[in-house]
Amino acid sequence: QVEVVESGGGSVQAGGSLTLSCIVSGWTYSTYCMAWFRQAPGKEREGVACCDSTGKTWYGDSVKGRFTISKDNANNTLYLQMNSLKPEDTAMYYCTADQYPCGSRIPGWYGMDYRGKGTLVTISS
């Protein structure tokens, strides 16, 4: 049984940095796509970044150059390093995983079979 658990959320000032972690347990597939999504109050959920077993990574336009996704295969942990944070980055961040590679872009939310409960990131101005 696959379980996805995020951590690392918190409150920081604009311009600061934060690193989110996601531990994926019970993974038995040889391939994967793992992605971060976020949803701010009153806004639609958006794909932030993803990476897959082919070694590729993708980023949403709003975070390119500021966020970095990485995966520690030895520990089955996904990270999202967030730098130069802005108030508009405030959102609940969700870690997701699917057994198939991502494809050519960040997959849609419902295309990811496994999802965490989220970790809250709050950026103050």
Side-chain angles (χ1 to χ4, degrees):
Q1 180 175 341
V2 176
E3 186 176 15
V4 178
V5 180
E6 309 95 333
S7 63
S11 298
V12 298
Q13 289 191 324
S17 298
L18 206 59
T19 300
L20 305 183
S21 301
C22 171
I23 295 177
V24 182
S25 58
W27 196 262
T28 60
Y29 306 108
S30 59
T31 59
Y32 65 85
C33 171
M34 294 191 177
W36 289 96
F37 289 81
R38 69 184 182 184
Q39 188 165 23
K43 294 188 177 181
E44 291 187 357
R45 188 182 299 113
E46 66 171 325
V48 175
C50 70
C51 63
D52 70 11
S53 48
T54 69
K56 295 178 181 178
T57 59
W58 293 263
Y59 295 92
D61 289 340
S62 62
V63 306
K64 281 180 182 176
R66 299 188 299 122
F67 290 11
T68 302
I69 190 170
S70 62
K71 186 175 182 290
D72 181 342
N73 291 321
N75 296 310
N76 279 337
T77 303
L78 184 72
Y79 299 98
L80 185 69
Q81 173 68 43
M82 305 184 294
N83 297 325
S84 302
L85 284 162
K86 305 175 182 180
E88 51 263 44
D89 293 318
T90 295
M92 186 70 80
Y93 284 71
Y94 299 92
C95 177
T96 66
D98 194 79
Q99 64 175 305
Y100 301 108
C102 299
S104 59
R105 60 177 185 175
I106 301 175
W109 172 260
Y110 295 105
M112 307 300 287
D113 282 345
Y114 306 100
R115 310 177 198 125
K117 295 181 179 180
T119 186
L120 181 63
V121 173
T122 304
I123 311 302
S124 58
S125 57

